[in-house]
C-alpha cells in the first residue's frame, strides 16, 4: 500500500521528442505528488508537483497528468533536450514521509 | 545563501569503523531526513526527524543512528553493524508549517565507500 511503482526503468528519446514517465500508487491517502530530477553525483531537485484536486499541471516543457480514479500520474517532457538527460523520480506523500519510485534514467540524444 | 550542506562529498572508511556524515540546513525547516541511494534503486528512508530531540526510524534504520540536538543539524552515523554501507547518502529537509506539503529539499550527497 505504501509503494509507488515507476516505469520505465530507462528511456531513450530523440532531441525534440516527448518523454513520458509513468507512476502508480495504491494508497488513496496520498495528497501530494512531486517529481524530482537528479543529475549524476548530485542530490535530487524538485521539478514539478501536483495535488489530487487537479488533473494536470504544466510548467514550461514539463507537465504532470494525474488520474485519481486510476491512481496513476505521469510526467511528460515536451521538446526533450540533451540537457534533460537525468534520472527522474516520482514520489507520493501523506503527512510526514515521501515514498519514492525506483527512478527512470532518461537519455536524450541529439 | 540558503540551502542544505553535506560533508564530506566523498568518504572512505575501513570495514568495522563507525563513520558520521554531516548534514546542516539554514532553511529554518523543522523536518530533516536521511536517505540511502544505491545504483539503479530509488531513495530509501533511513531516519527522519520532525522536531528537535525527536526522530523516527525509516524503512532501513538497522545499522544506522542519528541525533537531532539542534534544528539546523541532523548527523547520521553509519555503524559497523551496517552490513553493506557503501552507498550514496542524501540528506533532505522540509517545512512543517501548517498547510505546507512535504516539499523536500535535498543536499548534494555524500558518497561513502567502505574498503
Amino acid at each position: 500500500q505504501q509503494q509507488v511503482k515507476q516505469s520505465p526503468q530507462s528511456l531513450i528519446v530523440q532531441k525534440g521528442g516527448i518523454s513520458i514517465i509513468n507512476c502508480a500508487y495504491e494508497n488513496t491517502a496520498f495528497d501530494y505528488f512531486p517529481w524530482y530530477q537528479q543529475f549524476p553525483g548530485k542530490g535530487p531537485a524538485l521539478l514539478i508537483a501536483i495535488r489530487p484536486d487537479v488533473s494536470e499541471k504544466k510548467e514550461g516543457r514539463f507537465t504532470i497528468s494525474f488520474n485519481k480514479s486510476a491512481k496513476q500520474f505521469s510526467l511528460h517532457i515536451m521538446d526533450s533536450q540533451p540537457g534533460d538527460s537525468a534520472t527522474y523520480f516520482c514520489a507520493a506523500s501523506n503527512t510526514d514521509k515521501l515514498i519514492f519510485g525506483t527512478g527512470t534514467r532518461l537519455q536524450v540524444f541529439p | 545563501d540558503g540551502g542544505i550542506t553535506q560533508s564530506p562529498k566523498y568518504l572512505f572508511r575501513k570495514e568495522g569503523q563507525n563513520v558520521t556524515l554531516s548534514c546542516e540546513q539554514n532553511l529554518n525547516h523543522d523536518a530533516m531526513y536521511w536517505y540511502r541511494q544505491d545504483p539503479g534503486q530509488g531513495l530509501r528512508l533511513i531516519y527522519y526527524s520532525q522536531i528537535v530531540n525527536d526522530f523516527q526510524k525509516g524503512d532501513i534504520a538497522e545499522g544506522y543512528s542519528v541525533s537531532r540536538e539542534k534544528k539546523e543539524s541532523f548527523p547520521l552515523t553509519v555503524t559497523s553493524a551496517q552490513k553493506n554501507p557503501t552507498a550514496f547518502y542524501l540528506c533532505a529537509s522540509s517545512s512543517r508549517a501548517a498547510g505546507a506539503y512535504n516539499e523536500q529539499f535535498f543536499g548534494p550527497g555524500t558518497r561513502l565507500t567502505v574498503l
Side-chain angles (χ1 to χ4, degrees):
Chain A
Q1 270 247 330
Q2 285 290 85
Q3 280 189 325
V4 176
K5 296 182 180 180
Q6 183 172 348
S7 63
Q9 188 173 3
S10 62
L11 184 59
I12 299 174
V13 172
Q14 202 78 19
K15 178 183 175 181
I18 302 173
S19 304
I20 302 175
I21 305 170
N22 300 299
C23 285
Y25 64 97
E26 290 294 324
N27 189 345
T28 55
F30 289 148
D31 63 355
Y32 174 68
F33 301 87
W35 285 89
Y36 282 82
Q37 179 189 56
Q38 184 181 30
F39 293 104
K42 306 293 184 183
L46 179 66
L47 189 62
I48 186 173
I50 198 169
R51 290 212 56 213
D53 52 353
V54 297
S55 60
E56 185 176 283
K57 184 174 181 179
K58 184 176 180 179
E59 288 183 2
R61 296 183 295 109
F62 301 91
T63 299
I64 300 178
S65 296
F66 188 84
N67 186 330
K68 189 174 182 178
S69 60
K71 292 185 282 188
Q72 296 175 346
F73 59 110
S74 60
L75 176 69
H76 296 236
I77 305 175
M78 311 300 288
D79 187 26
S80 298
Q81 299 296 312
D84 297 330
S85 297
T87 299
Y88 293 81
F89 293 95
C90 64
S93 173
N94 60 340
T95 63
D96 56 355
K97 291 192 290 185
L98 276 177
I99 312 300
F100 285 88
T102 50
T104 296
R105 185 184 175 200
L106 171 65
Q107 295 175 275
V108 182
F109 285 94
Chain B
D1 198 17
I4 302 175
T5 57
Q6 291 185 244
S7 60
K9 187 172 177 63
Y10 299 96
L11 190 55
F12 297 87
R13 279 295 181 268
K14 291 184 179 180
E15 193 172 336
Q17 288 182 333
N18 291 357
V19 60
T20 298
L21 281 59
S22 168
C23 178
E24 305 276 333
Q25 55 96 2
N26 62 4
L27 300 169
N28 198 34
H29 285 170
D30 291 304
M32 297 187 74
Y33 310 81
W34 274 106
Y35 294 90
R36 170 181 172 139
Q37 186 174 28
D38 295 283
Q41 296 194 31
L43 283 70
R44 294 186 289 169
L45 183 64
I46 304 172
Y47 269 98
Y48 64 105
S49 167
Q50 297 183 5
I51 56 172
V52 174
N53 293 322
D54 188 38
F55 47 83
Q56 291 77 40
K57 293 182 179 180
D59 301 317
I60 56 166
E62 185 176 351
Y64 300 97
S65 66
V66 293
S67 63
R68 187 84 188 278
E69 297 176 2
K70 298 186 299 182
K71 187 176 183 177
E72 314 80 59
S73 178
F74 191 40
L76 173 74
T77 296
V78 184
T79 75
S80 57
Q82 168 52 232
K83 299 301 181 189
N84 185 18
T86 294
F88 189 47
Y89 290 87
L90 288 158
C91 178
S93 71
S94 69
S95 171
R96 297 297 297 168
Y101 300 108
N102 198 339
E103 180 180 345
Q104 293 186 16
F105 296 84
F106 284 83
T110 292
R111 186 167 298 281
L112 172 64
T113 302
V114 176
L115 307 171

